[in-house]
Amino acid sequence: MESKICNLATQFFEDLKSFLRRCLFFILSVGPMPKHIAFIMDGNRRYAKKQNLEEGAGHKEGYSALMNMLRYCYEFEVKYVTVYAFSIENFKRRPEEVQSTMQLIQEKIESLIEGEYVLSQYGVRVYVIGNFELLSNSVKLAAKRAMDATADNSKAVLSICIAYTSTDEIIHAIEKTCEEKSEEFRVLDSSGAGYGLIGLRCNGKNKGKSLIDVEDIEKHMRMAVAPDPDIIIRTSGETRLSNFLLWQSASSLLYSPNELWPEIGLRHLVQAILAFQRNFSYLKMRREQN
Amino acid sequence: MAASSFQIHLSPLKHQRFLHAPELSPNTRRPSFSFIPKAFTETEPPGNGVSINGLLPVHYAEEDPSSLPSGLREESMPRHVAVIMDGNRRWARMRGLPAGSGYEAGARALRRVVDLCCKWGIRVLTVFAFSSDNWVRPKMETDFLMGLFDRGLRNELQHLIRGKVHISVIGDCTKLSKPLQVLLSEAAETTKNNSQLHLILAVNYSGQNDLVQACQNIAQKVKDSLIEPEDINKFLLERELETNCTEFPNPDLLIRTSGELRISNFLLWQLAYTELYFTNSLWPDFGEDEFVKALLSFQQRQRRYGGRSS
């Protein structure tokens, strides 16, 4: 009986908080709202140390913080959310740590498939972005399953970057572009079109004729599934990008609160959105130029 | 040696914060192009009595390790510092001055920073002088900036040579006037053997375009069968980027003034692990104190490069 009352009370408070967030959203949406927010989830291990928890516990807290942030983002109608889960550079850590992190990632991806409430409620499509060749088979399979299971969702997008670095993404895009172009050249040359490659080198004057352009590279980027991020939030107070979305961050607002990732809350999101709204007219102009 | 008649004219183009509309308001006096306003000589403050820092001619000090301010550790000084020199026009607007005086004051700030880098043993300094996106500014303003750049560089060249500063330019120079292009390549040529400080001016530079041109070079090599697409790796790419002119192409520290929290298409690839430092002070006010604060902040950070701190 008591537990029933407890559950009802909890449910009531959850509904109340949700309602208050909805009001907050209506107020914020008087101004422009970001469409894409990216998170660098830094500080899980420091949090575990700080709270005297065992090693993996920081990441588990981090996972619940992530679910909360996703909920808030989708409630605020932020259509695209990207998170930096594991960098290629992180493979340099101790093998046991890499192993346990990979296992945690695999578990969490699987729980996403098994009907995590946030995803189904908001119609979220999941993409796993990164260099799959570096992942173990089990993680690869879990990732593919997650992407297939949510392929029909279209209201929002969650991009999880695993085994990702921006430099790797750019190199991969350039490789694909070169392969594609060299195939085109082979066809043109063999057909005797005499197209030549005078226009290939972009020396400013021939820019209109150059055969490789920003768009060619961008369409081969792994992150082409989402537009450029409006805000990049990195927790734990570090202000650096750590090889995350370098290409796409040219006009993103960078926001770095001092709190560790498991401590992040609604107020940080609201602060970031307010900062975004202050800078919006500039960002709009930049986008129109491009 | 610098005499009292020396005028501070190093006025490279500034990357401007263009949060608010870039057009000059009708109330702002349009700068005139035919002379440097008399108000900005070193001996005379401008009409409204506001003093401008850094009025005395500055010589480029020799490297002296013991000259580091207290608190800074020599072994953790950054080798390559990049700067986005933002806030010149806002600085001028706040003082009721025309935009041109903001750029002038910004030039003096740049002189100070170059001098400090020489003194403190920083090897490379990259400054974001003018972005490809800045061409949308009114033509009068961009022409003025080009004029300042030209005059400034001509006047500064001897001092830079004496100070053993090596100048390089990155970015697409073809949109600049011919005399300016010639001047820039001459400056780069005459100073190429200097080794105290490598000053890289990013003029009409865009990080994305840098990557695109590197990609085009690589594609040309693939086409000429010099390499296969599978051989493309990050070392190959870094060799093709415009920052290959220096031994330390990736900045350790990026400083952006005037409180804007973004990178604005400057050095995207090279900033992968760069510590970013944002300060609210405007670029013309950026001096030794601010620079020391930035360096202290840099030295306190734990740079892990994806690994784990011990």
Side-chain angles (χ1 to χ4, degrees):
Chain A
M1 184 59 193
E2 273 179 20
S3 64
K4 247 195 185 165
I5 295 176
C6 254
N7 285 342
L8 279 173
T10 317
Q11 188 58 41
F12 171 73
F13 280 119
E14 286 304 317
D15 290 343
L16 181 63
K17 280 195 274 186
S18 182
F19 171 72
L20 290 173
R21 284 197 299 268
R22 199 93 195 118
C23 296
L24 185 55
F25 167 64
F26 280 127
I27 298 171
L28 284 176
S29 59
V30 168
M33 292 293 278
K35 285 279 159 299
H36 180 179
I37 299 185
F39 293 100
I40 300 180
M41 307 187 289
D42 201 8
N44 298 302
R45 285 170 311 172
R46 270 171 283 173
Y47 179 79
K49 230 199 269 190
K50 192 167 134 184
Q51 305 286 338
N52 291 321
L53 304 170
E54 58 169 36
E55 194 156 309
H59 289 280
K60 295 199 167 73
E61 295 289 322
Y63 179 76
S64 8
L66 174 62
M67 286 300 121
N68 287 336
M69 290 311 282
L70 287 182
R71 185 191 309 276
Y72 304 148
C73 284
Y74 296 132
E75 278 178 359
F76 286 175
E77 296 183 8
V78 177
K79 184 164 177 193
Y80 298 91
V81 177
T82 304
V83 294
Y84 200 10
F86 196 84
S87 160
I88 295 180
E89 304 292 329
N90 293 153
F91 280 113
K92 288 192 225 153
R93 294 182 180 171
R94 287 192 335 260
E96 315 85 67
E97 191 181 331
V98 173
Q99 173 78 356
S100 69
T101 314
M102 278 290 142
Q103 207 155 337
L104 178 70
I105 289 177
Q106 185 182 334
E107 271 170 37
K108 295 311 175 192
I109 295 181
E110 275 158 5
S111 70
L112 279 178
I113 309 167
E114 267 131 44
E116 171 69 47
Y117 184 59
V118 174
L119 291 194
S120 48
Q121 186 183 16
Y122 296 102
V124 181
R125 179 166 185 178
V126 174
Y127 287 102
V128 179
I129 311 266
N131 190 344
F132 274 37
E133 291 166 29
L134 301 173
L135 293 173
S136 68
N137 280 332
S138 49
V139 179
K140 253 195 278 198
L141 276 172
K144 291 207 163 81
R145 278 208 320 271
M147 293 197 277
D148 291 337
T150 54
D152 294 328
N153 295 344
S154 57
K155 294 226 293 259
V157 171
L158 171 64
S159 312
I160 310 177
C161 293
I162 303 179
Y164 172 89
T165 52
S166 205
T167 43
D168 176 78
E169 181 190 29
I170 294 173
I171 296 276
H172 176 258
I174 291 180
E175 212 180 286
K176 287 275 163 282
T177 312
C178 285
E179 275 172 14
E180 182 188 78
K181 291 296 171 184
S182 65
E183 198 44 49
E184 276 177 28
F185 301 148
R186 239 193 300 277
V187 168
L188 287 169
D189 278 353
S190 63
S191 69
Y195 195 91
L197 285 167
I198 304 161
L200 177 62
R201 283 187 173 281
C202 168
N203 60 1
K205 284 184 258 198
N206 291 345
K207 207 165 167 74
K209 297 191 218 140
S210 67
L211 296 175
I212 292 189
D213 217 337
V214 177
E215 288 82 34
D216 293 314
I217 301 184
E218 281 193 327
K219 74 173 188 246
H220 288 114
M221 291 283 212
R222 296 194 172 108
M223 277 296 299
V225 298
D228 291 347
D230 295 308
I231 311 178
I232 298 182
I233 300 181
R234 180 181 185 137
T235 49
S236 85
E238 309 278 11
T239 19
R240 53 179 182 256
L241 288 172
S242 293
N243 220 335
F244 183 52
L245 299 182
L246 297 174
W247 175 277
Q248 297 85 344
S249 65
S251 43
S252 310
L253 177 73
L254 309 171
Y255 178 69
S256 44
N258 286 326
E259 282 76 6
L260 304 169
W261 175 254
E263 295 166 347
I264 197 176
L266 180 62
R267 67 188 188 284
H268 303 105
L269 184 62
V270 171
Q271 277 166 5
I273 292 179
L274 288 172
F276 168 77
Q277 290 182 336
R278 281 198 295 271
N279 290 312
F280 180 70
S281 54
Y282 159 65
L283 284 175
K284 187 164 158 212
M285 197 179 73
R286 277 292 315 273
R287 298 266 158 84
E288 277 160 12
Q289 278 164 34
N290 294 338
Chain B
M1 199 51 199
S4 57
S5 62
F6 175 70
Q7 303 247 345
I8 299 159
H9 286 312
L10 178 62
S11 311
L13 311 157
K14 299 298 172 293
H15 172 75
Q16 292 304 303
R17 181 184 80 90
F18 28 96
L19 165 62
H20 304 298
E23 296 82 25
L24 297 174
S25 73
N27 299 331
T28 312
R29 280 188 287 134
R30 301 277 172 181
S32 94
F33 316 116
S34 55
F35 64 94
I36 302 296
K38 189 166 183 292
F40 307 113
T41 60
E42 54 190 284
T43 51
E44 207 178 327
N48 64 1
V50 173
S51 71
I52 297 175
N53 291 331
L55 293 177
L56 296 176
V58 176
H59 66 279
Y60 298 103
E62 293 294 319
E63 179 182 350
D64 175 13
S66 60
S67 66
L68 278 183
S70 67
L72 287 180
R73 300 189 309 274
E74 195 203 331
E75 65 276 9
S76 355
M77 288 293 279
R79 281 177 315 198
H80 181 165
V81 175
V83 182
I84 301 182
M85 306 184 288
D86 208 0
N88 300 298
R89 292 195 318 166
R90 210 179 351 167
W91 184 93
R93 216 168 25 234
M94 274 166 48
R95 287 158 175 75
L97 302 171
S101 46
Y103 298 139
E104 293 280 356
R108 282 188 286 275
L110 179 60
R111 291 285 307 283
R112 282 199 293 275
V113 170
V114 171
D115 179 40
L116 291 171
C117 287
C118 286
K119 205 160 105 175
W120 294 340
I122 291 171
R123 302 300 308 279
V124 186
L125 173 69
T126 303
V127 294
F128 203 9
F130 195 83
S131 160
S132 305
D133 306 320
N134 288 150
W135 288 111
V136 296
R137 300 257 153 133
K139 186 168 188 312
M140 222 188 306
E141 188 176 326
T142 50
D143 286 347
F144 175 60
L145 284 171
M146 295 296 159
L148 279 183
F149 193 8
D150 192 296
R151 276 192 298 276
L153 199 52
R154 280 182 210 283
N155 291 327
E156 270 307 297
L157 199 50
Q158 287 312 309
H159 294 273
L160 290 171
I161 292 172
R162 259 198 295 276
K164 305 217 204 91
V165 177
H166 170 199
I167 295 185
S168 292
V169 180
I170 59 175
D172 181 9
C173 294
T174 54
K175 259 185 137 166
L176 306 177
S177 68
K178 269 273 171 283
L180 187 51
Q181 288 185 44
V182 167
L183 174 63
L184 284 171
S185 57
E186 271 174 14
E189 186 59 32
T190 12
T191 56
K192 73 175 180 214
N193 292 322
N194 291 348
S195 57
Q196 173 70 24
L197 169 72
H198 191 171
L199 173 65
I200 303 180
L201 301 169
V203 178
N204 195 19
Y205 179 84
S206 143
Q208 284 188 347
N209 288 345
D210 195 5
L211 282 164
V212 170
Q213 67 83 30
C215 176
Q216 287 170 341
N217 291 346
I218 292 178
Q220 180 69 50
K221 293 195 169 129
V222 168
K223 203 275 169 183
D224 295 340
S225 308
L226 293 170
I227 49 173
E228 294 298 313
E230 307 85 66
D231 297 334
I232 300 174
N233 60 23
K234 80 174 196 176
F235 301 108
L236 204 68
L237 183 61
E238 283 176 350
R239 275 210 297 272
E240 299 294 338
L241 289 173
E242 296 194 62
T243 43
N244 59 8
C245 55
T246 167
E247 189 181 357
F248 310 112
N250 299 336
D252 298 304
L253 171 65
L254 172 85
I255 299 174
R256 178 167 191 158
T257 50
S258 91
E260 293 304 313
L261 301 171
R262 65 175 68 85
I263 296 176
S264 301
N265 209 354
F266 180 46
L267 288 186
L268 301 176
W269 171 281
Q270 297 86 341
L271 290 183
Y273 293 100
T274 304
E275 297 292 335
L276 310 173
Y277 178 81
F278 299 103
T279 171
N280 285 329
S281 65
L282 303 172
W283 175 248
D285 296 326
F286 191 84
E288 181 166 345
D289 292 338
E290 290 287 339
F291 201 9
V292 169
K293 264 200 254 178
L295 290 170
L296 278 172
S297 164
F298 170 79
Q299 294 195 338
Q300 277 157 13
R301 298 188 191 191
Q302 265 191 340
R303 306 187 78 191
R304 300 187 294 271
Y305 299 94
R308 185 183 178 158
S309 55
S310 48

